[in-house]
Amino acid sequence: MNLNEFKQKLFEAGEKQGFKDMELYYQRTDSLNVKVFKGEVDNYSVSDSSGLSFRGTLNDKMGYSYTEKIDDSSIEMLVNEAKENAQVIEDKDVVEIFAGSPSYSEFEGYSKELEQLTAEKIIQFAKELEQEAYKLDDRVVSVNMCQVAKSEGEKLIANSKGLEKAAKDNLAYCVVSVVVKEGESVKSDMQFLGTKELKDFDAKKVAKEAVDKATSALGASSIKSKTYPTIIKNTTAANLLATFSSTFTAEAVQKGMSLLKGRIGDEVATSQVTIVDDPLYQKGLMSTPFDAEGVATYTKNVVENGKLNTFLHNLKTARKDGVKSTGNASKASYKGAVGIAPTNMFIKPQSKGYDEMVQSIEEGVIITSLQGLHSGANTVSGDFSLAAAGYLIENGEIKRPVDQITIAGNFFEVLKDIEEIGNDLEFGLPSNGYIGSPSLKIKGIAVSG
């Protein structure tokens, strides 16, 4: 049974049970994942998952159900479960089925180029990536992770109000992690690459980035405790922003879980800072022309020149605040409830080079990694105390690697203490959004050695 036929039968069955407005949300994901270890394929997995959810309003309550089977036998089950769900739900907030936006972007997230990345080529690249890591430096004692994968997905949202939108996307990624040793010093580091372009799959480049990061940390030691001018390296700054990204969601604000409540129009960062949420970013791994409720997405400055412009909204939170949805409704899968998440969120890069920032500091630190972001950061207050590593700067030069330190501060104060923003925008691993940042020069951060 095709989806259109299934949708018609489902909505007819729902109408007979008293549902007013109804929605079908379909999602499919195909993926190929390869891991190699010591020149051999250690793991090869292919997965194909699909399913759909049904939502509908019954007596002004929203019922919900889902299934992996798309056939006649699922229709009655979907409707009955959604009906039972609607009858017991206690949430008094109005949840609507969306009729559609006036227009939608022509954004295309599917790369035909990635179709050339066959299973054979993925295996070949994974082996080459591992070999390059070993060849680059005699101090590489282990490549403890070498993974290459590609994924393809499609989604469709259709409802009884006439909305029907579909989108298809794909991506490829690799992760390589190395362990290096010199004397008694042992360090490890990794490099992640997510892309839609085959040219980015450069084994020597990816391996070198991982090996260089690991070897540059060999022989690291602590430093004395004090407040240092600090450069937070791009991917580390991205991880910090990702940790606190929920504070920009209207859901967190309305639940009292964000200090930004009531601060639209206020200065929340230095005037150099613009934080963008761009669901139409061509290189973004979370790009989409419409969100999980069918609302058209668009590029927006959440913070612009230091001022808070908007929160990220879905239809429910937008109705509460009397504004329009920003197109940030999110579902982890067809099984999940509708929430809010950033898409491709990043601090807008500027012209300053990383080396220029280093040269401008007489004595300071560069932070290249943070540990304990989930346990050592309070997303409500903005406070953090995190184990860190990086480099010591003396007289405008990187003097030596640093570890066994802790940095402490407040995310919102860091935003206000940014003195310079680099031109080296990089993104972290995608999770609840694809979050990026250039390197950031901070006036001062408290470091405990």
Side-chain angles (χ1 to χ4, degrees):
M1 183 185 303
N2 64 44
L3 270 177
N4 189 54
E5 184 182 353
F6 184 89
K7 176 194 70 174
Q8 292 175 347
K9 289 185 176 183
L10 179 62
F11 289 174
E12 287 172 3
E15 189 174 3
K16 289 179 182 178
Q17 290 291 335
F19 281 95
K20 184 181 177 183
D21 299 324
M22 293 166 284
E23 174 194 276
L24 175 151
Y25 184 92
Y26 169 79
Q27 191 175 41
R28 175 189 65 82
T29 303
D30 298 336
S31 62
L32 170 62
N33 194 312
V34 172
K35 293 180 182 178
V36 300
F37 184 70
K38 294 185 176 179
E40 300 293 334
V41 175
D42 187 52
N43 180 273
Y44 180 96
S45 61
V46 178
S47 66
D48 181 358
S49 62
S50 64
L52 60 82
S53 62
F54 170 70
R55 291 198 304 164
T57 55
L58 184 70
N59 299 323
D60 295 324
K61 298 291 185 181
M62 183 69 77
Y64 176 82
S65 58
Y66 65 85
T67 183
E68 294 178 1
K69 293 177 63 178
I70 303 175
D71 57 24
D72 285 327
S73 67
S74 298
I75 292 175
E76 184 179 356
M77 178 275 292
L78 286 168
V79 174
N80 288 340
E81 285 195 4
K83 185 175 182 179
E84 291 174 6
N85 182 253
Q87 289 170 342
V88 300
I89 197 165
E90 296 181 355
D91 190 350
K92 295 181 180 180
D93 292 329
V94 176
V95 182
E96 66 177 292
I97 299 295
F98 186 61
S101 298
S103 62
Y104 290 83
S105 166
E106 295 297 322
F107 175 84
E108 177 58 66
Y110 184 81
S111 168
K112 292 281 290 182
E113 186 181 352
L114 286 186
E115 292 179 0
Q116 302 173 37
L117 194 60
T118 62
E120 291 76 16
K121 288 182 179 180
I122 287 176
I123 293 171
Q124 179 184 349
F125 180 80
K127 290 182 177 180
E128 184 182 352
L129 183 59
E130 185 188 46
Q131 290 169 3
E132 287 296 333
Y134 278 116
K135 283 165 54 179
L136 280 166
D137 199 299
D138 291 339
R139 293 171 292 179
V140 176
V141 296
S142 174
V143 178
N144 56 349
M145 164 72 81
C146 187
Q147 177 181 2
V148 184
K150 77 170 183 176
S151 177
E152 177 183 307
E154 63 176 322
K155 62 181 178 179
L156 177 143
I157 185 169
N159 63 41
S160 56
K161 289 185 172 181
L163 172 70
E164 185 160 332
K165 299 298 294 182
K168 189 176 179 182
D169 62 17
N170 60 354
L171 62 91
Y173 70 88
C174 65
V175 181
V176 60
S177 173
V178 301
V179 179
V180 298
K181 183 178 181 181
E182 186 173 59
E184 296 300 313
S185 180
V186 179
K187 296 293 179 182
S188 65
D189 218 316
M190 55 84 70
Q191 182 66 24
F192 166 81
L193 168 69
T195 184
K196 293 175 180 287
E197 299 182 20
L198 284 178
K199 67 177 178 62
D200 292 335
F201 273 83
D202 183 332
K204 289 184 179 181
K205 181 180 178 182
V206 176
K208 188 175 189 305
E209 287 170 338
V211 172
D212 284 353
K213 286 193 288 186
T215 55
S216 67
L218 286 167
S221 58
S222 190
I223 53 176
K224 64 181 181 180
S225 301
K226 69 175 190 176
T227 297
Y228 290 87
T230 301
I231 295 172
I232 306 179
K233 198 75 164 66
N234 46 19
T235 52
T236 307
N239 292 336
L240 190 65
L241 176 60
T243 301
F244 291 98
S245 62
S246 64
T247 199
F248 296 104
T249 67
E251 187 174 41
V253 172
Q254 292 172 2
K255 290 180 177 179
M257 303 293 285
S258 170
L259 287 183
L260 296 179
K261 184 175 182 178
R263 300 201 61 194
I264 295 292
D266 289 355
E267 291 186 3
V268 296
T270 182
S271 61
Q272 296 184 63
V273 175
T274 293
I275 301 177
V276 184
D277 181 71
D278 187 359
L280 307 177
Y281 183 47
Q282 196 63 49
K283 294 183 178 181
L285 301 188
M286 293 292 183
S287 299
T288 177
F290 58 89
D291 72 2
E293 294 176 313
V295 176
T297 58
Y298 63 96
T299 303
K300 66 201 75 74
N301 292 338
V302 180
V303 174
E304 185 170 4
N305 299 327
K307 291 185 178 181
L308 181 63
N309 253 357
T310 182
F311 298 122
L312 302 179
H313 284 279
N314 60 15
L315 290 170
K316 179 179 174 180
T317 61
R319 177 186 285 269
K320 277 188 176 183
D321 281 0
V323 298
K324 291 184 178 180
S325 171
T326 59
N328 286 91
S330 172
K331 291 177 69 155
S333 78
Y334 65 90
K335 300 178 183 179
V338 174
I340 303 175
T343 57
N344 308 300
M345 175 183 273
F346 56 92
I347 295 175
K348 189 175 180 180
Q350 295 189 9
S351 59
K352 186 68 68 171
Y354 171 69
D355 290 341
E356 290 180 85
M357 285 195 280
V358 172
Q359 291 163 11
S360 69
I361 295 176
E362 186 172 331
E363 182 186 32
V365 294
I366 302 168
I367 302 300
T368 58
S369 71
L370 295 170
Q371 297 177 0
L373 280 164
H374 295 292
S375 59
N378 186 321
T379 56
V380 179
S381 67
D383 292 335
F384 60 82
S385 179
L386 305 165
Y391 308 102
L392 175 67
I393 301 172
E394 288 185 356
N395 300 318
E397 295 181 351
I398 295 175
K399 185 72 173 178
R400 63 177 178 84
V402 170
D403 65 1
Q404 301 178 58
I405 61 172
T406 299
I407 65 168
N410 182 279
F411 174 71
F412 303 106
E413 291 177 6
V414 167
L415 290 180
K416 289 187 174 182
D417 285 343
I418 293 174
E419 291 185 328
E420 292 177 345
I421 297 176
N423 57 12
D424 54 345
L425 174 64
E426 291 286 347
F427 287 79
L429 275 69
S431 179
N432 191 37
Y434 189 45
I435 314 297
S437 175
S439 295
L440 307 174
K441 181 184 174 184
I442 314 299
K443 182 178 180 181
I445 291 181
V447 176
S448 298

